[in-house]
Every structure is written in C-alpha cells, then in structure tokens.
C-alpha cells in the first residue's frame, strides 16, 4: 500500500470498527516503513526513539517520536499478534500470564496505535488538528475494543449526574461526556479517560473524579489511560531532533495529594520518572496492569466503596 493510501485509510475513522481493522492497517503500515521511508532520524537525547521522515509524497514530514523498544517491526508483529489474541482468550478463561505476555500486550497496543498516528503525521501541516482528533478518537475506540475482548461491558457516553440541595432535594441533572463507561451486572462501575497524551488534559481527569464524587456522594473509581507523554523537539543542529516530555509531575503529585488520587493511571510508553519516583510509581503503571490485574478487581468492588 502506498503512503497516500495509508494516510487516507488512517484519516477515515469508519475504517476502524473491529480489532481486526487495527491489526490489518498495522500490517500494511509496517510493511511500508520497511522500505518506504526517506530516513529514520535517531533522537539526540534518548536514542531508542526514532522519527520517521517521509519522502515527497509525504511532504518530507517528520513523524512523532517512535519508541523502538516498544514498536514492532513487520516481522516481529506477525510473530506476536497471534500470541496477543491468544493471551486475551486465556485471560477470559482465568488463566495466568507471564512477564513475556505482559510485555507483548504493551507493545502490541503501542504499535497498533502508533502506526495510525505516524501515518497521520504525513498529512499536510494545515490538517494537523484533524489528525490529532482522529488519532485520539481511534485510540479511545481501540481501548474500548480491547476491554470488550476481555468481556467487559464498555462504552463511551454521557452520564447524567444529579445535583441536590443541602436538604437532598433534586435541583437538576448535569451531563458529563466520558471516554469509558464500564458496567458490571448493569451497574456503572468505572469511569475512564483515554488520551494519547496527558498534555493539557491531566487536570480535567482529577477534577472529573472530584466533581462526580461530590455531586453523587459516592467513590466510583475513575481511571486514566495514556499512550505516551513525549513529543519531538528541535536541537541546535539543523535537521536534528530530540524528545521532550509532556508529563507534569508536579501537577500530578499536587492533585493526587490535595484533591483526590485516581484509581488507576496506565501508560504504554511509561517515562523513567514514573517508575523511579516514590509517589508516581505508586499511582502510575504500564497498561498491562489494567487488563491483567485491576479490571476485574474494579468491576467487583462493592458499589459505594
């Protein structure tokens, strides 16, 4: 498939309705990058990140940072994708998984989404806002599809939250749109936010939980899922790039300590300080933990806890 075909495919959200649609597109894009790139640019400050530069058909655009420790090659993807789908089958049957399977979950999700994002980076500069919106929407859909693969009742939608006076009388309802509404036995059990990055979005996730808890008098779990928190930055050398982080650790600590902690924060491409900092590492984990450890614990948590 040519780059123009890949870009047009990625820009059309209707092309991604099932998990198999993501897998098929990923195969096509990985096959393209084997021989179709103008160049691979190595990050100057964290060398395991690369940037894909397209040729004239992609306006010589340079992609977002790609973590080569997570991003599969075409050959590796073909080997691992069948194991990935089997892992979800095993999980539904209550079987335990090993560290290799955990790593595979992280890397497959990362590769599936980054092939879409990197393809959209070939759009003309004037369409960058459109690309961000499409990429974000498709990541939300991917996470919902994966949760549904696990057997979870998971949708996006609007929650009507009652607002009452001090005497308990209903005044009105206010509406909140959420990326993830996960139910169990008909009851809403988890509210989630799914974003490709926490940039300009971190505050809202914490505030959403605070407002929901105050308005309803409950402690319904709220979780956040992020793909990564890195972006391309220029260096002093021409045509040379590095990466910078978009995560704000001070904000995260402040909201966690002084407002309310979230009930799970998950990343595909987790940053070193999220592993090394005592407070951050307590609250932020890789995305495999959602599927393998936390999901059913959250769903089986008694209402009102």
């Amino acid at each position: 498939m040519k780059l123009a075909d890949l870009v047009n495919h990625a820009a059309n959200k209707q092309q991604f309705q099932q998990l198999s649609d993501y897998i098929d597109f990923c195969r096509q894009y990985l096959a393209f990058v084997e021989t179709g790139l103008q160049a691979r640019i190595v990050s100057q400050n964290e060398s395991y990140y690369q940037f894909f530069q397209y040729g004239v058909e992609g306006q010589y655009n340079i992609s977002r940072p790609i973590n080569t420790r997570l991003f599969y090659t075409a050959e590796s993807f073909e080997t691992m994708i069948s194991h990935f789908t089997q892992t979800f089958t095993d999980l539904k049957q209550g079987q335990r998984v090993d560290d290799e399977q955990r790593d595979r979950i992280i890397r497959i999700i990362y590769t599936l989404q980054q092939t879409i994002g990197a393809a959209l980076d070939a759009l003309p500069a004037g369409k960058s806002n459109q690309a961000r919106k499409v990429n974000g929407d498709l990541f939300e859909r991917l996470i919902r599809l994966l949760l549904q693969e696990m057997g979870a009742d998971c949708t996006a939608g609007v929650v009507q939250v009652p607002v009452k006076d001090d005497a308990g009388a209903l005044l009105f309802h206010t509406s909140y749109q959420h990326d993830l509404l996960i139910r169990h036995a008909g009851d809403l059990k988890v509210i989630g936010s799914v974003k490709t990055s926490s940039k300009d979005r971190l505050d809202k996730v914490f505030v959403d939980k605070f407002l929901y808890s105050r308005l309803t008098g409950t402690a319904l779990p709220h979780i956040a899922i992020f793909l990564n928190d890195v972006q391309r930055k220029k260096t002093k050398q021409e045509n040379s790039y590095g990466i910078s982080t978009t995560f704000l650790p001070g904000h995260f600590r402040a909201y966690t300590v002084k407002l309310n902690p979230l009930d799970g924060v998950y990343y595909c491409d987790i940053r070193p300080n999220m592993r090394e900092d005592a407070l951050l590492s307590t609250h932020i984990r890789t995305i495999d933990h959602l599927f393998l450890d936390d999901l059913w614990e959250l769903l089986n948590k008694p209402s009102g806890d």
Side-chain angles (χ1 to χ4, degrees), residues 32 48 113 133 135-136 144-145 163 234 252-253 280:
F32 166 79
Y48 54 90
Q113 187 59 39
K133 178 69 167 66
N135 191 47
R144 287 194 294 269
L145 288 170
V163 178
K234 291 185 177 180
F252 189 95
R253 293 189 192 97
L280 298 181

Side-chain angles (χ1 to χ4, degrees), residues 11 64 116-117 120-124 127-137:
R64 65 201 56 219
I116 295 171
L120 291 170
D121 289 336
L123 282 168
K127 294 186 176 181
S128 57
N129 288 336
Q130 173 195 348
R132 278 193 290 271
K133 178 69 167 66
V134 170
N135 191 47
D137 289 348

Side-chain angles (χ1 to χ4, degrees), residues 112-216:
L112 288 174
Q113 187 59 39
Q114 286 292 65
T115 52
I116 295 171
L120 291 170
D121 289 336
L123 282 168
K127 294 186 176 181
S128 57
N129 288 336
Q130 173 195 348
R132 278 193 290 271
K133 178 69 167 66
V134 170
N135 191 47
D137 289 348
L138 289 179
F139 186 48
E140 292 173 21
R141 186 177 296 172
L142 173 60
I143 295 301
R144 287 194 294 269
L145 288 170
L146 291 170
L147 288 167
Q148 290 164 7
E149 280 288 310
M150 290 282 295
D153 179 0
C154 176
T155 61
V158 175
V159 173
Q160 297 288 334
V161 180
V163 178
K164 301 178 181 179
D165 63 19
D166 293 340
L170 178 65
L171 299 175
F172 54 86
H173 285 83
T174 184
S175 301
Y176 287 92
Q177 175 74 37
H178 292 288
D179 304 329
L180 292 180
L181 299 173
I182 309 178
R183 293 178 170 84
H184 186 56
D187 296 326
L188 181 61
K189 289 290 190 174
V190 181
I191 290 176
S193 174
V194 182
K195 305 299 177 189
T196 54
S197 164
S198 73
K199 183 179 180 181
D200 302 326
R201 301 179 179 102
L202 187 64
D203 301 357
K204 183 179 183 300
V205 182
F206 284 94
V207 172
D208 279 350
K209 179 181 179 181
F210 175 77
L211 289 175
Y212 187 93
S213 299
R214 289 291 296 270
L215 291 172
T216 63

Side-chain angles (χ1 to χ4, degrees), residues 41 53 62 235 237-241:
I41 303 170
Q53 183 172 27
I62 297 172
T235 66
Q237 294 178 288
E238 188 176 358
N239 298 322
S240 181
Y241 300 91

Side-chain angles (χ1 to χ4, degrees), residues 86-111:
Q86 183 59 46
T87 296
F88 275 79
T89 300
D90 293 343
L91 287 170
K92 285 192 289 187
Q93 295 173 352
Q95 298 183 32
R96 298 183 65 84
V97 299
D98 57 27
D99 289 344
E100 183 179 348
Q101 290 169 299
R102 284 181 175 274
D103 183 66
R104 188 181 301 131
I105 288 173
I106 299 168
R107 295 187 65 182
I108 288 287
I109 295 173
Y110 181 83
T111 305

